[in-house]
Amino acid sequence: MIKLCQENLCTGCWGCYDVCPKDAISMVPRSPMGDRHPVIDRKKCIECHLCENVCPILNPPKCKSPENSFASWANNSQIHIKSASGGIGSVLAKHFLNQGGVVYGCTSEGAEIRHIRIADLDEYVRIQGSKYVQSSIGKIYCQIKQDLIAGRRVLFIGTPCQVAALRKYLKKDYEQLLMVDLICHGVPSQYLFESHIRHIAGNKPVTTVKFRSEDGFCLNIISGSQSIYKNYVWKDRYTDVYFTAFLKSYTFRESCYTCPYAKSERVSDITIGDFWGLDKDIIKNYDIKDGVSVILPITPKGNGIIEELNSEISLVARPVEEAITGNSQLRHPSRKSFGCKIFRFFMSKGLSLKQSLYLSDSLLIPAYKLYNRIKK
Ligand SMILES: Cc1cc2nc3c(=O)[nH]c(=O)nc-3n(C[C@H](O)[C@H](O)[C@H](O)COP(=O)(O)OP(=O)(O)OC[C@H]3O[C@@H](n4cnc5c(N)ncnc54)[C@H](O)[C@@H]3O)c2cc1C
Ligand code: SF4
Ligand code: SF4
Ligand code: SF4
């Protein structure tokens, strides 16, 4: 009898789906949060156990501590401004494409967030920026293996659980493959996201959804070439229910609250994220247009690529401890707060995102007020 990992620990990495030689696995959304989980069609299954062996939760890959840490940002200001943070993901993508390599990253097609393969330089913009949704992998790991066997240079950028799955899927190191993971605090499901977008867009077709404008982080729904909804994360804080629940860490996949990759030891060649906790005095003399990234090269290959990028990015060496202290996801997973538990209880009773958020806030705000009064 085939037994995949425990449901609450399953990261939805798609490793088992990709490895199955009989296409016996489907990734099916589970209520109430809509996270996709593998379901085995017993009629198709030949009990080869490949899916169990590839699962990074059942068989965790080795992780390694970073030896160096850098504050960094793209020298090209257009790349910097349009990217999620310092634009390092985009610089890496351009670097690989320029050298004839292929890049795998996350895009938004309509309201669908998924990983794609790009091979043309102009296409790097398709994967630029963070999408705050779990990306569907589909058969991407199989495609990567084919590219590697064909001798192509490959860059994969994704969440740590996706990098872990790719590592397990490939079984061996390929010199021409670079794996980059994001520091990650958690992902809401495609189902929650798509329901929200559909609700706002109504009958209008959705061409793409962006999470970033030149003037800040936002949820920007584009139909044709027109923006039909734009809600800024900080300026309009707590007015878009999807972002509000996301910022409160209420809507993450169950596994994100016990994420095995939320630590300083990393599964990739290079880890990138936001350099929270950076001593700002260090960079005050630089003309920085936007956010500053942290780069943690993990393997010698990762270190080598950072050296190759020397003319395209600014690099300021910082103590590894500074990066770890400033970014909680390098120390522990996101916490499931009391409010989060109440919110998820209402979701499990079939209430909508908006209703669950409203009810959990209605209960929490008086409770906090009472608590503060008692404390005084
Ligand atoms: C869901 C999520 C949670 C995050 N949480 C944190 C955090 O807690 N702390 C922190 O320091 N940083 C976090 N990040 C990373 C941060 O937002 C930036 O993505 C990172 O700093 C890289 O910025 P950049 O400017 O170099 O990337 P860019 O040049 O803009 O490139 C972004 C890269 O991220 C990839 N990507 C985008 N969305 C996804 C996705 N949903 N799944 C997989 N890959 C994706 C794209 O393929 C692209 O290559 C998170 C990112 C995501 C997507
Ligand atoms: S045991 Fe083999 S055939 Fe069955 S679901 Fe797993 S990978 Fe597919
Ligand atoms: S391989 Fe990934 S998707 Fe499949 S059971 Fe394991 S964690 Fe879940
Ligand atoms: S928090 Fe962990 S389990 Fe959740 S998406 Fe990120 S890496 Fe995967």
Side-chain angles (χ1 to χ4, degrees):
M1 175 75 167
I2 301 301
K3 209 163 174 295
L4 290 170
C5 75
Q6 240 174 274
E7 189 171 315
N8 60 330
L9 302 180
C10 170
T11 62
C13 69
W14 295 69
C16 51
Y17 172 90
D18 269 42
V19 85
C20 179
K22 293 289 167 189
D23 287 334
I25 299 183
S26 314
M27 296 296 286
V28 180
R30 289 267 162 86
S31 61
M33 306 302 285
D35 299 309
R36 286 194 175 132
H37 286 265
V39 174
I40 299 176
D41 180 344
R42 304 283 165 193
K43 285 192 216 113
K44 287 187 183 170
C45 174
I46 54 168
E47 306 225 338
C48 65
H49 297 278
L50 288 176
C51 51
E52 292 171 331
N53 296 339
V54 84
C55 176
I57 296 300
L58 294 175
N59 303 291
K62 281 204 184 98
C63 293
K64 213 172 152 273
S65 297
E67 282 169 18
N68 307 311
S69 159
F70 298 97
S72 182
W73 57 94
N75 291 338
N76 178 323
S77 60
Q78 276 311 303
I79 293 182
H80 192 179
I81 289 166
K82 289 184 176 156
S83 300
S85 174
I88 309 307
S90 301
V91 170
L92 277 164
K94 279 191 82 176
H95 185 73
F96 269 70
L97 294 168
N98 258 326
Q99 296 187 346
V102 293
V103 176
Y104 289 84
C106 172
T107 196
S108 157
E109 276 179 0
E112 194 194 353
I113 304 299
R114 65 185 187 94
H115 262 66
I116 53 165
R117 173 188 191 271
I118 54 173
D120 292 332
L121 188 56
D122 300 344
E123 284 187 304
Y124 85 90
V125 290
R126 292 181 67 196
I127 62 166
Q128 193 167 33
S130 293
K131 291 94 194 166
Y132 298 112
V133 187
Q134 183 156 41
S135 169
S136 301
I137 288 290
K139 289 283 180 187
I140 286 288
Y141 305 139
C142 308
Q143 263 183 288
I144 291 176
K145 190 166 181 182
Q146 283 161 15
D147 273 326
L148 291 170
I149 290 169
R152 300 293 296 264
R153 209 172 171 215
V154 176
L155 167 67
F156 176 84
I157 308 185
T159 57
C161 53
Q162 292 166 344
V163 170
L166 176 59
R167 211 176 254 295
K168 296 295 297 181
Y169 178 87
L170 293 173
K171 287 198 200 131
K172 64 168 196 169
D173 278 340
Y174 286 83
E175 196 39 49
Q176 77 271 31
L177 167 68
L178 185 80
M179 291 183 272
V180 175
D181 71 339
L182 307 170
I183 300 174
C184 175
H185 62 303
V187 284
S189 69
Q190 173 70 39
Y191 167 81
L192 276 190
F193 178 67
E194 213 164 324
S195 316
H196 182 59
I197 301 300
R198 288 267 144 253
H199 178 71
I200 296 169
N203 292 333
K204 294 195 180 112
V206 174
T207 312
T208 188
V209 182
K210 294 194 170 159
F211 292 80
R212 173 94 225 223
S213 271
E214 296 206 358
D215 44 356
F217 285 97
C218 59
L219 185 61
N220 185 6
I221 305 176
I222 295 161
S223 180
S225 55
Q226 261 196 330
S227 171
I228 54 168
Y229 176 85
K230 206 170 193 185
N231 184 286
Y232 286 92
V233 175
W234 303 121
K235 211 164 48 177
D236 304 325
R237 201 173 156 110
Y238 301 116
T239 52
D240 178 278
V241 281
Y242 180 85
F243 257 126
T244 305
F246 175 76
L247 290 173
K248 287 175 181 246
S249 306
Y250 283 4
T251 42
F252 299 160
R253 190 182 176 92
E254 194 61 45
S255 61
C256 300
Y257 300 102
T258 53
C259 177
Y261 313 104
K263 57 184 179 183
S264 55
E265 299 82 37
R266 311 300 298 172
V267 69
S268 60
D269 294 306
I270 299 175
T271 292
I272 56 175
D274 306 316
F275 208 140
W276 296 329
L278 172 69
D279 180 349
K280 292 284 169 2
D281 275 353
I282 304 296
I283 51 163
K284 68 174 183 230
N285 295 329
Y286 294 91
D287 176 26
I288 301 177
K289 299 276 180 282
D290 212 311
V292 176
S293 288
V294 61
I295 302 185
L296 301 169
I298 311 298
T299 59
K301 199 195 307 182
N303 265 307
I305 295 284
I306 298 306
E307 276 170 30
E308 280 179 35
L309 296 183
N310 217 352
S311 61
E312 294 161 72
I313 57 176
S314 300
L315 281 171
V316 183
R318 299 300 304 150
V320 173
E321 266 317 307
E322 185 176 54
I324 296 173
T325 309
N327 204 320
S328 61
Q329 304 308 316
L330 293 173
R331 289 179 277 115
H332 58 76
S334 291
R335 300 224 158 95
K336 205 185 232 183
S337 64
F338 182 54
C340 174
K341 287 178 191 158
I342 302 178
F343 169 85
R344 290 169 91 95
F345 168 79
F346 287 126
M347 288 291 286
S348 74
K349 296 295 169 202
L351 298 191
S352 69
L353 193 64
K354 193 174 176 181
Q355 290 164 333
S356 304
L357 200 57
Y358 175 76
L359 279 174
S360 53
D361 279 355
S362 309
L363 287 175
L364 270 182
I365 293 166
Y368 277 128
K369 279 189 184 154
L370 189 64
Y371 169 77
N372 283 332
R373 215 179 312 150
I374 294 167
K375 229 174 61 172
K376 275 184 204 159

